Amino acid sequence: MHVELTINDSPRELFVDESESLATALRRAGHTEVLCGCDGGTCGVSKVFVDDEVRMACGMDALEADGTAVRTVQALGRQDALHPIQQAFIDHHAVQCGFCIPGMIIEAAALLEENPDPSPETVRAAIDDTLCRCTGYQKPVQAILDAAERLRTPPVADDGVIANE
C-alpha cells in the first residue's frame, strides 16, 4: 500500500505495510530523527507534528497519515541554524543521552506556539508524558523557559539594531 504525505515540506509517496506505524515508515524513509522507545505511543519519544497536531508516530498507523503534512524535529532547524528551542537545550545541557529530546522539542514547540510565556509547572506538565531517564526533567524545563524568552525577545544585531524592524 502507499501513502502520500508531505514530510518537512517535501511531498513524498511511501510504500507501507498495512499495520506499519508512522514512525517505522518515517525511519525507513530516512527520517531517523524519529525515535521509538515503546512501539505503542506511550513513551512520547516519537512525537511529530501531523497537520500541526502533536502525535506519537509509533502509536499511529502509517495509513492514517495519508494526505497529511508531517513535521519532525528536523523541520525546526538545521545544524548551522538551530531553532531557539534546540539551541536552548544545548546551552542548558538538557541533552544527555538524547533519546527523548526530539519528543521534548516537538512538545516544547507546540507549547510555546500556544503559550509564549509558560510557567515552570506548565512546561513540566507539557513534557510529562515524554519518558526521560537521564535528566530528571529539570534541565529541559530550564531550556524550554529560556527558549520561550528567546522567542519573545527580538534578536539584536551587532550594531545594536533590532532585527526585522
Side-chain angles (χ1 to χ4, degrees), residues 60-129:
M60 179 178 180
D61 290 336
L63 292 173
E64 192 181 343
D66 191 29
T68 67
V70 175
R71 286 186 302 135
T72 71
V73 70
Q74 186 179 38
L76 295 179
R78 300 182 322 273
Q79 190 70 27
D80 62 340
L82 295 175
H83 186 280
I85 298 170
Q86 294 167 319
Q87 188 62 56
F89 266 75
I90 292 168
D91 293 347
H92 286 270
H93 307 286
V95 180
Q96 294 201 6
C97 82
F99 198 74
C100 65
I101 300 306
M104 282 199 191
I105 289 176
I106 289 288
E107 194 66 59
L111 169 66
L112 297 180
E113 186 173 309
E114 181 180 310
N115 179 355
D117 192 15
S119 68
E121 295 78 20
T122 301
V123 171
R124 190 170 292 279
I127 62 172
D128 186 51
D129 67 345

Side-chain angles (χ1 to χ4, degrees), residues 31-51:
H31 293 279
T32 55
E33 71 274 16
V34 178
L35 303 176
C36 298
C38 64
D39 289 330
T42 60
C43 72
V45 173
S46 71
K47 290 178 184 172
V48 296
F49 287 106
V50 178
D51 288 338

Side-chain angles (χ1 to χ4, degrees), residues 97-164:
C97 82
F99 198 74
C100 65
I101 300 306
M104 282 199 191
I105 289 176
I106 289 288
E107 194 66 59
L111 169 66
L112 297 180
E113 186 173 309
E114 181 180 310
N115 179 355
D117 192 15
S119 68
E121 295 78 20
T122 301
V123 171
R124 190 170 292 279
I127 62 172
D128 186 51
D129 67 345
T130 303
L131 181 62
C132 176
R133 294 187 172 139
C134 299
T135 68
Y137 298 92
Q138 188 57 37
K139 289 181 180 185
V141 169
Q142 292 169 346
I144 294 166
L145 291 170
D146 181 33
E149 176 67 26
R150 294 177 192 204
L151 290 167
R152 288 191 313 269
T153 307
V156 178
D158 291 338
D159 60 5
V161 175
I162 295 177
N164 297 325

